[in-house]
Coordinates of all heavy atoms in Angstrom, one line a residue:
Y256 N 31.8 37.4 -22.2 CA 31.5 36.0 -22.4 C 32.7 35.3 -23.0 O 32.4 34.2 -23.6 CB 30.2 35.8 -23.2 CG 29.0 36.3 -22.5 CD1 28.4 37.6 -22.8 CD2 28.4 35.6 -21.4 CE1 27.3 38.1 -22.2 CE2 27.3 36.1 -20.8 CZ 26.7 37.3 -21.1 OH 25.6 37.8 -20.5
D257 N 33.9 35.8 -22.9 CA 35.0 35.0 -23.4 C 35.2 33.8 -22.6 O 35.5 33.9 -21.4 CB 36.3 35.9 -23.4 CG 37.5 35.1 -23.9 OD1 37.7 35.1 -25.1 OD2 38.2 34.5 -23.0
A258 N 35.1 32.6 -23.2 CA 35.0 31.3 -22.4 C 36.2 31.2 -21.4 O 36.0 30.8 -20.2 CB 34.9 30.1 -23.3
D259 N 37.4 31.4 -21.9 CA 38.5 31.2 -21.0 C 38.6 32.3 -19.9 O 38.9 32.0 -18.7 CB 39.8 31.2 -21.8 CG 39.8 29.9 -22.7 OD1 39.2 28.9 -22.3 OD2 40.4 30.0 -23.8
Q260 N 38.3 33.5 -20.3 CA 38.3 34.6 -19.2 C 37.2 34.3 -18.2 O 37.4 34.6 -17.0 CB 38.0 35.9 -19.9 CG 39.3 36.5 -20.5 CD 39.2 38.0 -20.5 OE1 39.2 38.6 -19.5 NE2 39.1 38.6 -21.7
V261 N 36.1 33.8 -18.6 CA 35.0 33.5 -17.7 C 35.5 32.5 -16.7 O 35.3 32.7 -15.4 CB 33.7 33.0 -18.4 CG1 32.7 32.3 -17.5 CG2 33.0 34.1 -19.2
V262 N 36.1 31.5 -17.1 CA 36.6 30.4 -16.2 C 37.7 31.0 -15.3 O 37.8 30.7 -14.1 CB 37.2 29.2 -17.0 CG1 38.0 28.3 -16.2 CG2 36.0 28.4 -17.6
R263 N 38.5 32.0 -15.8 CA 39.5 32.6 -14.9 C 38.9 33.5 -13.9 O 39.4 33.6 -12.8 CB 40.5 33.4 -15.8 CG 41.7 32.6 -16.2 CD 42.9 33.4 -16.7 NE 42.5 34.3 -17.9 CZ 42.5 33.8 -19.1 NH1 42.9 32.6 -19.4 NH2 42.2 34.6 -20.1
T264 N 37.8 34.2 -14.3 CA 37.4 35.3 -13.4 C 36.1 35.0 -12.6 O 35.8 35.7 -11.6 CB 37.2 36.6 -14.2 OG1 36.2 36.3 -15.2 CG2 38.4 37.0 -14.9
S265 N 35.3 34.1 -13.0 CA 34.0 33.9 -12.3 C 34.2 33.6 -10.8 O 35.1 32.8 -10.5 CB 33.3 32.7 -13.0 OG 32.1 32.4 -12.3
S266 N 33.4 34.2 -10.0 CA 33.4 33.9 -8.6 C 33.0 32.4 -8.3 O 33.2 32.0 -7.2 CB 32.5 34.8 -7.8 OG 32.7 36.1 -8.1
F267 N 32.4 31.8 -9.2 CA 31.8 30.5 -9.0 C 32.5 29.6 -10.1 O 32.3 29.8 -11.3 CB 30.3 30.5 -9.3 CG 29.5 29.3 -9.0 CD1 28.7 29.1 -7.9 CD2 29.6 28.2 -10.0 CE1 28.0 27.9 -7.8 CE2 28.9 27.1 -9.8 CZ 28.0 26.9 -8.7
L268 N 33.2 28.6 -9.6 CA 33.8 27.6 -10.6 C 33.9 26.2 -9.8 O 34.6 26.1 -8.9 CB 35.2 28.0 -11.0 CG 35.8 27.2 -12.1 CD1 35.2 27.3 -13.4 CD2 37.3 27.4 -12.2
V269 N 33.0 25.3 -10.3 CA 32.9 24.1 -9.6 C 32.9 22.9 -10.6 O 32.2 22.9 -11.6 CB 31.5 24.0 -8.8 CG1 31.4 22.7 -8.0 CG2 31.3 25.2 -7.9
G270 N 33.7 21.9 -10.3 CA 33.7 20.7 -11.1 C 32.4 19.9 -10.7 O 32.2 19.6 -9.6

Side-chain angles (χ1 to χ4, degrees):
Y256 296 102
D257 175 88
D259 294 329
Q260 281 209 63
V261 166
V262 166
R263 266 198 301 278
T264 58
S265 172
S266 310
F267 183 108
L268 186 70
V269 184

